[in-house]
């Protein structure tokens, strides 16, 4: 059993690879890092100006009380000493700064009246950190390029510091922020993976027990496909494919697809072992006949999945990699390990039960001879399912134009309404809505009004140019006053104005002196060297309020405003930001999704054409699946679902999964036709015989996909619902649309061939006649 030993060794190798799997849930999972928009965002903003903040929200009756402010001070002092914390800001530190400007002492004022006076005279500086008398916020800042491990460490230390800072007992302390949300989401993805796989395994157990009862060891395909999943996990780690909200859904899908390969090999070797006592010959026959057929189905499935690489969304590309690797691993596991195990189990059972088999054969030989003719006659009688399939094929073939016409109308209608299906890219809507980190973040947003911003990077030769600072001040005021979705602005300009009596100095020297007086951490938020400045246009929670399409329009308006109200000569403005980068996802989920589907159709058609070298055999499965793609668009629209990075892959998945059913039907049709049956009779016979195998196969795939419905992530759950419906549509199309299309095209081609042969014979006869006349003359 060298194959089994090798398989066991590979499990250990895969385990090492699986430990290298990383989690990703940030912007880089939605936007390609090589795109100019992302590079502007990463190189000009994230690496220079951006800091990530753990946010501590304190809420209670009076957050300006001495007890609360003292606790905030303790929290801030402890957090400053935490590794990877680059700075902190709070109402306490702001009050101390302003008190220093007034008294020369960096400390809290002695009276509540002095505190209130400082806050009321600098309202704009306290808008975020002290939004009202019942809420105050502490920012614990980390570098923009902090790793997940570093963020987790800072989050843990901040939670500890908040507990020991001795806030009054009747005050609520919430540790939140985008890093805290991302960490919680990564943890949720990890914990939800195991239940999804478990549910998928249980469903596979049920379906195998119900529909695979005609073989020995009927549950064996399940561990075989799980072995392929283990190998896929290992390859995922070695190839540095991250686990994201999309890629985590690949594994239940692979269980649904991969088990079909194991079933095919299992069924065939059992069939061969029943009629061939030599196990070795049975294995050879299985690999010889079933191997190429399953390999062809896997290749066509892979071509459908390959079209996912045309997407510009990185996590869809990672999803494609996992699906391709997974079907290959499941195929190899079924071919080698599955066949080897059945070979070994059969050999073992024959050796140990030989005596029992001999005695049973001796005593039951007479009975077998008597019952065999009856059994054969009974086997010729079709059961209810066979009669249903046969009658269905008769009906569809009898009315081909009506069936194809209705299917085509529904397809075109579905493709039309598909363009009206809304697009959702807000990550916060994808996660479990009862997740505490999401609730805390939403609560923070309800108090602060959201933290989305358009980041304007201004490149200049002189960051102290007074004309440039005046332009920044005037342009930001124009946008806040003239654009309803721009709620505020921040830059170095208002800071310089407040330090200079409300006006910007007239010369660079005075501005440079004021720069030197600004605390370094505060200055770094808006200035980099002497040639780069940052202006933030606060857009609140616009991604949720006006959607990504609305943000895209807002970005266009801001760029038009910059063109109409340009900065001084020598200054150049780049509009970037997280929301701006996400606008590229729109094209990926609209025109990009359509292009991906048509590219998949071309790949599958080309693959079938190369394999069969017959345009009818290549065209018929593709046109059948094209109908399903159109219907799927209608399902999306009328079910009220939204396109997400996952549901955008439906076209490729339908091609990859559904083509197999049509191909199996077509193979059996031509097999029956080679026996001398007419096209109509061949299709009726093929539907009756192969249909009983396709339906369990389709149910197995649907059961595997249905595990996704149990995901706590709405994006994954909705994807599971849609894929189950689409697999059902693919099965429906294989039995309703495929037969009339196949018979119609094949009959037309046969008639054309007959006509061409007749014309050729007629021409040959005319030529012979003319020759005879010449000879007579």
């Amino acid at each position: 059993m060298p194959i089994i030993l090798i398989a066991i060794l590979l499990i250990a190798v895969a385990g090492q690879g699986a430990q290298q799997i990383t989690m990703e849930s940030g912007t880089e999972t939605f936007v390609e890092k090589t795109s100019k928009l992302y590079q502007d965002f990463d190189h000009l903003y994230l690496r220079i100006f951006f800091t990530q903040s753990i946010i501590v929200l304190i809420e209670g009756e009076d957050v300006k009380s001495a007890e609360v402010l003292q606790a905030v001070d303790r929290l801030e002092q402890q957090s400053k000493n935490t590794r990877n914390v680059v700075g902190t800001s709070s109402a306490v530190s702001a009050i101390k700064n302003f008190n220093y400007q007034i008294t020369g002492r960096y400390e809290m004022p002695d009276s509540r009246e002095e505190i209130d006076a400082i806050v009321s005279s600098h309202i704009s500086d306290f808008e975020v950190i002290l939004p009202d008398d019942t809420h105050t916020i502490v920012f614990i800042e980390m570098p923009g390029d902090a790793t997940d491990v570093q963020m987790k460490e800072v989050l843990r230390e901040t939670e500890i510091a908040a507990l020991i800072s001795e806030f009054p007992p009747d005050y609520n302390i919430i540790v939140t922020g985008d890093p805290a949300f991302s960490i919680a989401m990564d943890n949720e993805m990890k914990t939800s993976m195991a239940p999804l796989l478990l549910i998928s395994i249980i469903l596979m157990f049920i379906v195998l027990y119900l529909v695979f009862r005609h073989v020995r060891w009927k549950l064996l395909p399940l561990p075989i496909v799980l072995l392929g999943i283990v190998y896929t996990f290992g390859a995922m780690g070695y190839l540095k494919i991250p686990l994201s909200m999309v890629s985590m859904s690949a594994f239940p899908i692979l269980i649904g697809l991969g088990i079909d390969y194991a079933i095919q090999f299992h069924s065939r070797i059992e069939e061969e072992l029943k009629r061939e006592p030599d196990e070795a010959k049975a294995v050879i026959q299985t690999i010889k006949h079933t191997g190429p057929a399953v390999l062809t189905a896997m290749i066509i499935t892979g071509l459908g999945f390959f079209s996912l690489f045309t997407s510009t969304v990185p996590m869809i590309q990672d999803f494609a990699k996992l699906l391709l690797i997974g079907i290959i691993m499941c195929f190899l596991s079924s071919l080698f390990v599955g066949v080897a195990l059945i070979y070994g189990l059969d050999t073992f059972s024959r050796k140990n039960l030989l005596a029992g088999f001999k005695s049973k054969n001796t005593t039951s030989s007479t009975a077998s001879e008597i019952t065999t003719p009856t059994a054969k006659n009974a086997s010729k009688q079709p059961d209810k399912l066979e009669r249903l399939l046969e009658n269905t094929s008769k009906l569809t073939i009898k009315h081909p134009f009506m069936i194809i016409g209705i299917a085509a109308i529904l397809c075109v209608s579905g493709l039309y309404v598909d363009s009206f299906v809304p697009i959702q890219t807000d990550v916060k809507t994808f996660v479990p809505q009862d997740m505490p980190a999401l609730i805390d973040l939403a609560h923070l947003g309800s108090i602060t009004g959201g933290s989305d911003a358009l980041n304007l990077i201004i490149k200049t030769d002189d960051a102290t140019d007074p004309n440039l600072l005046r332009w920044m001040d005037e342009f930001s005021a124009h946008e806040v006053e003239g654009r309803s979705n721009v709620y505020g602005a921040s830059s170095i300009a208002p800071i310089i104005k407040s330090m200079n009596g409300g006006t910007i100095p007239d010369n660079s020297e005075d501005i440079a002196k004021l720069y030197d007086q600004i605390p370094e951490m505060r200055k770094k938020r808006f200035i980099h060297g002497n040639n780069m400045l940052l202006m933030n246009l606060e857009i609140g929670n616009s991604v949720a309020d006006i959607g990504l399409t609305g943000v895209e329009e807002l970005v266009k308006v801001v760029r038009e405003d910059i063109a109409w109200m340009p900065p001084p000569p020598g200054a150049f403005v780049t509009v970037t930001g997280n929301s701006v980068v996400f606008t590229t996802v729109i094209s990926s989920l609209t025109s990009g999704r359509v292009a991906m589907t048509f590219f998949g159709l071309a790949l599958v058609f080309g693959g079938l054409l190369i394999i069969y070298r017959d345009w009818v055999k290549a065209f018929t499965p593709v046109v059948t699946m094209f109908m399903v793609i159109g219907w799927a668009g209608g399902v999306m629209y009328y079910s009220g679902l939204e396109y997400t990075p996952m549901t955008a892959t439906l076209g490729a998945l339908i091609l990859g999964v559904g083509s197999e059913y049509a191909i199996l039907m077509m193979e059996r049709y031509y097999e029956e036709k080679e026996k001398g049956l007419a096209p109509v009779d061949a299709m009726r016979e093929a539907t009756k015989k192969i249909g009983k195998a396709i339906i369990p196969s389709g149910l197995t795939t649907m059961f595997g996909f249905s595990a996704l419905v149990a995901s706590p992530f709405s994006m994954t759950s909705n994807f599971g619902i849609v894929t189950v419906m689409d697999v059902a549509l693919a099965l429906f199309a294989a039995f309703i649309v495929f037969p009339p299309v196949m018979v119609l095209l094949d009959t037309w081609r046969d008639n054309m061939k007959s006509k061409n042969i007749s014309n050729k014979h007629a021409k040959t006869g005319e030529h012979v006649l003319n020759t005879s006349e010449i000879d007579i003359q």
Side-chain angles (χ1 to χ4, degrees):
M1 285 289 178
I3 292 177
I4 305 300
L5 292 175
I6 292 172
I8 294 172
L9 289 174
L10 289 176
I11 291 175
V13 175
Q16 291 294 321
Q19 295 178 18
Q20 302 177 33
I21 296 174
T22 58
M23 307 287 294
E24 282 190 5
S25 58
T27 307
E28 63 274 8
T29 63
F30 284 87
V31 185
E32 184 61 54
K33 290 183 178 180
T34 57
S35 66
K36 185 179 184 304
L37 269 177
Y38 185 87
Q39 289 184 351
D40 286 343
F41 178 61
D42 183 65
H43 300 336
L44 299 181
Y45 178 66
L46 289 183
R47 298 189 184 184
I48 296 175
F49 296 106
F50 180 65
T51 58
Q52 303 187 78
S53 295
I54 300 292
I55 297 173
V56 182
L57 173 64
I58 300 101
E59 52 186 3
E61 184 178 351
D62 182 12
V63 294
K64 288 191 286 186
S65 67
E67 283 184 297
V68 173
L69 293 178
Q70 288 170 7
V72 169
D73 194 22
R74 287 190 291 269
L75 170 62
E76 198 169 2
Q77 295 305 317
Q78 291 179 70
S79 299
K80 284 180 179 178
N81 298 322
T82 302
R83 187 171 56 177
N84 296 311
V85 171
V86 297
T88 63
S89 59
S90 70
V92 170
S93 57
I95 291 170
K96 285 182 177 181
N97 281 327
F98 288 116
N99 190 48
Y100 175 77
Q101 295 175 18
I102 298 170
T103 66
R105 293 177 298 171
Y106 187 77
E107 59 183 26
M108 289 293 291
D110 296 327
S111 67
R112 175 64 179 266
E113 290 74 16
E114 290 177 278
I115 292 173
D116 289 339
I118 290 174
V119 173
S120 61
S121 59
H122 301 86
I123 293 177
S124 61
D125 293 286
F126 287 90
E127 279 181 341
V128 175
I129 54 180
L130 194 62
D132 54 52
D133 289 340
T134 59
H135 297 91
T136 187
I137 294 171
V138 180
F139 290 89
I140 314 298
E141 299 180 2
M142 301 172 287
D145 57 354
T147 64
D148 290 343
V149 174
Q150 292 170 340
M151 285 192 292
K152 289 177 181 178
E153 182 182 356
V154 173
L155 176 62
R156 183 179 64 251
E157 294 298 324
T158 302
E159 289 173 338
I160 294 172
L163 286 173
I164 64 177
S165 293
E166 300 179 2
F167 282 94
D170 53 342
Y171 280 74
N172 188 28
I173 314 302
I174 299 172
V175 181
T176 182
D178 287 334
F181 171 74
S182 296
I183 292 168
M185 188 165 63
D186 288 348
N187 292 334
E188 186 71 26
M189 284 193 291
K190 288 179 181 177
T191 55
S192 66
M193 171 71 77
L196 282 182
L197 288 175
L198 181 61
I199 292 171
S200 184
I201 291 168
I202 293 172
L203 291 173
M204 289 298 99
F205 181 92
I206 294 170
V207 76
L208 285 174
Y209 190 82
L210 292 176
V211 305
F212 204 47
R213 305 179 70 174
H214 61 284
V215 300
R216 298 171 295 170
W217 314 298
K218 52 182 171 289
L219 298 178
L220 186 60
L222 187 54
I224 296 302
V225 73
L226 289 178
L227 183 63
I229 297 299
V230 170
Y231 294 156
T232 305
F233 268 113
M236 184 180 181
Y238 287 122
L239 296 175
K240 307 298 181 185
I241 301 174
L243 191 65
S244 66
M245 282 187 291
V246 173
S247 60
M248 66 182 285
S249 305
F251 296 102
I253 292 173
L254 287 172
I255 291 176
L257 290 175
I259 206 164
D260 189 37
Y261 303 150
I263 288 173
Q264 295 293 336
F265 282 110
H266 193 144
S267 296
R268 187 56 185 253
I269 194 171
E270 284 277 56
E271 182 183 333
E272 295 294 339
L273 286 169
K274 287 179 181 178
R275 62 170 174 245
E276 176 56 67
D278 188 335
E279 290 97 336
K281 290 184 178 178
V283 170
I284 293 171
Q285 290 299 312
T286 297
I287 296 174
K288 178 181 177 182
H289 294 290
T290 305
V294 177
L295 179 62
T296 299
M298 187 201 73
I299 290 172
I300 298 305
T301 299
L303 288 174
F305 293 158
F306 191 81
S307 63
L308 294 172
F309 285 109
T310 61
S311 173
T312 58
V313 179
M315 61 180 169
I316 291 182
Q317 296 176 3
D318 292 334
F319 184 53
K321 293 173 189 175
L322 273 184
L323 290 175
L324 289 173
I325 293 169
I327 60 174
I328 292 172
M329 294 299 176
C330 291
F331 172 79
L332 294 176
S333 176
S334 303
L335 175 62
F336 292 105
V337 182
V339 172
L341 270 177
I342 296 173
Y343 169 83
L345 289 170
D346 184 77
T347 303
F348 177 80
S349 63
R350 290 195 185 193
K351 286 181 179 179
N352 287 274
L353 301 176
L354 185 59
F357 284 149
K358 284 184 177 180
S359 63
K360 288 181 181 179
N361 289 336
T362 302
T363 57
S364 62
S365 59
T366 305
S368 297
E369 290 173 2
I370 295 172
T371 58
T372 297
T374 305
K376 286 182 179 179
N377 289 335
S379 66
K380 291 180 181 178
Q381 299 298 322
D383 58 23
K384 292 181 180 179
L385 179 58
E386 287 179 336
R387 287 196 297 270
L388 175 63
L389 293 172
E390 186 176 11
N391 291 334
T392 301
S393 67
K394 285 180 181 179
L395 180 65
T396 58
I397 295 170
K398 186 177 180 180
H399 306 285
F401 294 105
M402 181 183 72
I403 296 293
I404 296 171
I406 293 173
I409 291 171
L410 291 175
C411 174
V412 173
S413 301
L415 292 173
Y416 173 73
V417 298
D418 178 74
S419 61
F420 299 104
V421 176
I423 298 168
Q424 181 58 264
T425 55
D426 185 357
V427 177
K428 295 179 182 63
T429 65
F430 299 156
V431 302
Q433 296 302 295
D434 59 350
M435 192 169 75
L438 177 63
I439 295 173
D440 290 343
L441 196 63
H443 181 56
L444 176 67
S446 67
I447 296 168
T448 62
S451 58
D452 294 338
L454 303 182
N455 309 120
L456 277 61
I457 309 295
I458 304 160
K459 299 177 184 177
T460 179
D461 296 329
D462 183 9
T464 62
D465 181 1
N467 293 325
L468 178 59
L469 266 62
R470 288 193 191 95
W471 175 84
M472 293 172 64
D473 187 48
E474 293 169 3
F475 182 81
S476 60
H478 176 272
E479 295 303 292
V480 173
E481 294 171 7
R483 306 302 169 201
S484 59
N485 293 111
V486 177
Y487 305 109
S490 60
S491 69
I492 199 67
I495 297 174
I496 295 299
K497 283 178 66 177
S498 66
M499 296 172 68
N500 194 53
T503 61
I504 293 174
D506 294 326
N507 58 78
S508 298
E509 290 76 12
D510 290 342
I511 292 175
K513 290 177 182 178
L514 292 175
Y515 281 170
D516 292 336
Q517 298 175 29
I518 302 173
E520 192 64 24
M521 197 184 88
R522 191 181 189 191
K523 184 168 63 175
K524 281 184 177 180
R525 292 178 182 173
F526 301 110
I527 303 175
H528 177 68
N530 193 43
N531 56 10
M532 198 173 296
L533 297 159
L534 171 67
M535 180 197 303
N536 297 316
L537 298 180
E538 311 297 338
I539 59 175
N541 199 25
S542 289
V543 173
D545 295 339
I546 60 177
L548 210 53
T549 304
V551 173
E552 185 179 34
E553 290 300 317
L554 179 60
V555 171
K556 290 180 181 177
V557 169
V558 171
R559 285 177 173 150
E560 289 172 358
D561 289 345
I562 293 172
W564 174 77
M565 190 178 175
F572 304 92
V573 182
T574 299
V575 182
T576 185
N578 195 57
S579 301
V580 178
V581 173
F582 266 83
T583 58
T584 60
V585 180
I586 294 178
S587 61
S588 300
L589 301 184
T590 52
S591 59
R593 171 174 51 83
V594 175
M596 180 170 60
T597 301
F598 280 100
F599 181 62
L601 286 167
L603 282 176
V604 171
F605 178 76
L608 290 171
L609 198 60
I610 291 172
I611 293 171
Y612 292 115
R613 300 182 184 277
D614 185 324
W615 73 268
V616 171
K617 290 183 178 181
F619 177 76
T620 309
V622 170
V623 75
T624 304
M625 288 306 104
F626 182 73
M627 297 284 188
V628 178
I629 290 170
W631 300 346
V635 169
M636 287 290 296
Y637 178 77
Y638 290 107
S639 62
L641 295 172
E642 298 173 318
Y643 273 119
T644 67
M646 286 197 71
T647 50
T649 66
L650 284 177
L653 285 174
I654 291 169
L655 285 170
V657 177
S659 296
E660 180 183 356
Y661 308 139
I663 290 169
L664 291 173
M665 286 279 287
M666 183 175 66
E667 288 277 4
R668 194 56 185 255
Y669 166 75
Y670 279 103
E671 182 181 334
E672 297 297 332
K673 194 178 174 187
E674 287 175 1
K675 296 177 182 178
L677 295 179
V680 173
D681 296 328
M683 181 56 70
R684 188 174 65 247
E685 196 69 16
T687 304
K688 180 175 67 175
K689 291 181 178 178
I690 197 65
K692 288 188 69 176
I694 290 177
I695 288 177
S697 176
L699 289 175
T700 304
T701 303
M702 288 172 64
F703 268 60
F705 283 16
S706 62
L708 297 173
V709 178
S711 173
F713 289 82
S714 61
M715 179 173 73
T716 305
S717 178
N718 290 340
F719 175 73
I721 294 170
V722 175
T723 48
V724 168
M725 290 190 292
D726 288 346
V727 171
L729 289 176
L731 278 171
F732 179 81
F735 291 108
I736 301 299
V737 178
F738 176 82
V741 173
M742 185 78 254
V743 171
L744 201 64
L745 288 176
D746 199 40
T747 302
W748 173 80
R749 186 171 61 176
D750 287 346
N751 292 337
M752 292 298 294
K753 285 182 179 178
S754 300
K755 185 176 180 180
N756 290 336
I757 292 172
S758 299
N759 291 338
K760 186 176 180 180
H761 286 167
K763 290 180 179 179
T764 302
E766 183 180 350
H767 175 70
V768 171
L769 180 60
N770 292 338
T771 304
S772 301
E773 291 176 354
I774 293 171
D775 291 340
I776 293 171
Q777 292 176 359

